[in-house]
Amino acid sequence: MTTTVTVTRVPLIFSGHFLNNKNGRASQSAVHLLGSISNSNTSSASRSSFSSSLTATTRIRRAGFAVLASNSMAPSIVLVTGAGGRTGSIVYKKLKERSEQYVARGLVRTEESKEKIGGAEDVFVGDIRESKSIVPAIQGIDSLIILTSAVPKMKPGSDPSKGRPEFYFEDGAFPEQVDWIGQKNQIDAAKAAGVKQIVLVGSMGGTNLNHPLNSLGNGNILVWKRKAEQYLADSGVPYTILRAGGLQDKEGGVRELLVGKDDELLQTETRTIARADVAEVCIQALQYEEAQFKAFDLASKPEGTGTPANDFKALFSQVTARF
């Protein structure tokens, strides 16, 4: 007996609906393909339908049919700018370690910085002060984490042991050019590329024009950082603005994290935070809607006091300020 299977091309019929994650990707749906089976030795056709439920995010074509590939949810593409810096390199490394969730990209200013973090092809070299040079790194990404910052340098001959040293900024690398124009360029490029979320790392102290950081090299660095933060908040792109306390090169994940607003934490004894903790909060902010359209100060309790952070949804839920 010969049995012939005839599959009729018909539109896909979806059972239920797509469950979209916050990146807009379909996470799961049941898909049914309709067909008919006939026995050539009988006078009447016996029809049946078959269905299969597939977890998928990538459409493929097989024998003229649109079907869903049986892969798990595609990783989110995240660009870290300032990836050669002490905090940015930690974020980049953490993303690389979580390859099932993220496809990491980095943006650095020089080839030397690229080599310092491994020299991978996913690290782009560009100048944030020149908008065209950063477009290739931003095209196709889902989220952007901004960790670029102007860096003051100590004047030659300054001796910290004999008093407060003097600082300067190199030509072309003043806070106005890096923290304002450079960050504005990143925000504009990300918005044009349809990026779904931007995480911007700034500094506490911006409510005080007389803060000592503003006097370094006469750069008014917190003023320009604040201006970029406001630009992001007004951009319409979902954002998270994280204003970190004094950054420390210490182990992360062992301290209780504290959030605040308007520099209130600067009036307490908890004004510092490990760079590794800042990096972790940046990544966690991509996972929770509770972190979107919010701005907050971030610090931590001393190690050994309080409970180390592990519920980031609850942490972000404490934040109510939009700027």
Side-chain angles (χ1 to χ4, degrees):
M1 180 179 69
T2 302
T3 300
T4 303
V5 178
T6 303
V7 181
T8 306
R9 291 190 181 184
V10 294
L12 293 177
I13 300 175
F14 293 98
S15 172
H17 58 279
F18 280 116
L19 302 177
N20 293 325
N21 63 22
K22 72 187 195 66
N23 288 323
R25 286 189 170 89
S27 57
Q28 187 171 5
S29 179
V31 56
H32 300 273
L33 299 177
L34 302 184
S36 64
I37 301 177
S38 63
N39 188 325
S40 61
N41 292 332
T42 62
S43 59
S44 61
S46 173
R47 300 180 181 274
S48 67
S49 66
F50 63 93
S51 66
S52 64
S53 297
L54 302 174
T55 300
T57 55
T58 307
R59 290 186 177 275
I60 63 174
R61 291 277 174 180
R62 180 175 297 167
F65 289 93
V67 297
L68 295 178
S70 56
N71 296 323
S72 59
M73 185 176 67
S76 176
I77 303 173
V78 183
L79 173 65
V80 183
T81 60
R86 285 188 288 173
T87 306
S89 60
I90 299 173
V91 177
Y92 174 72
K93 181 180 178 182
K94 282 178 174 285
L95 290 170
K96 296 282 280 187
E97 291 171 347
R98 303 174 193 184
S99 57
E100 291 185 357
Q101 290 178 275
Y102 303 105
V103 174
R105 287 188 191 176
L107 178 70
V108 297
R109 189 167 58 88
T110 65
E111 289 289 344
E112 181 182 2
S113 292
K114 177 175 180 175
E115 292 304 316
K116 187 175 70 172
I117 60 172
E121 292 184 359
D122 56 33
V123 178
F124 294 74
V125 177
D127 188 341
I128 62 172
R129 298 167 299 179
E130 300 293 334
S131 58
K132 290 183 179 179
S133 77
I134 63 176
V135 170
I138 289 177
Q139 287 298 318
I141 66 172
D142 296 300
S143 303
L144 170 65
I145 300 177
I146 299 176
L147 275 155
T148 53
S149 178
V151 179
K153 295 190 174 184
M154 190 181 300
K155 285 187 176 181
S158 293
D159 186 350
S161 65
K162 296 181 180 180
R164 187 175 180 179
E166 292 186 62
F167 291 85
Y168 72 101
F169 291 96
E170 293 181 336
D171 290 343
F174 274 77
E176 180 180 3
Q177 296 158 310
V178 177
D179 293 279
W180 165 233
I181 295 174
Q183 291 190 1
K184 179 180 180 295
N185 286 342
Q186 294 176 68
I187 295 165
D188 288 342
K191 183 175 181 179
V195 166
K196 300 175 180 65
Q197 185 176 357
I198 298 176
V199 177
L200 172 60
V201 178
S203 301
M204 286 197 289
T207 61
N208 179 11
L209 290 176
N210 296 316
H211 193 283
L213 287 178
N214 282 327
S215 66
L216 295 180
N218 295 317
N220 284 320
I221 189 168
L222 295 180
V223 173
W224 296 112
K225 284 182 179 292
R226 197 80 169 184
K227 187 176 178 67
E229 292 168 6
Q230 186 67 66
Y231 187 79
L232 173 59
D234 294 339
S235 70
V237 179
Y239 65 87
T240 304
I241 298 171
L242 189 167
R243 302 181 182 114
L247 295 170
Q248 298 179 317
D249 296 314
K250 294 184 176 181
E251 180 185 1
V254 296
R255 298 169 186 81
E256 180 173 337
L257 301 183
L258 304 170
V259 294
K261 63 178 182 178
D262 299 330
D263 293 331
E264 294 171 340
L265 292 175
L266 290 179
Q267 310 307 316
T268 71
E269 297 300 316
T270 52
R271 295 171 289 184
T272 61
I273 186 166
R275 293 180 187 274
D277 285 329
V278 173
E280 186 63 34
V281 172
C282 286
I283 296 173
Q284 293 291 334
L286 302 178
Q287 301 184 34
Y288 297 100
E289 291 184 357
E290 288 79 5
Q292 293 187 6
F293 297 105
K294 290 183 177 180
F296 55 91
D297 300 338
L298 183 68
S300 66
K301 290 184 178 181
E303 184 177 350
T305 64
T307 304
N310 54 30
D311 188 345
F312 290 93
K313 180 176 181 179
L315 183 75
F316 297 134
S317 295
Q318 296 177 42
V319 181
T320 58
R322 295 179 64 89
F323 184 78

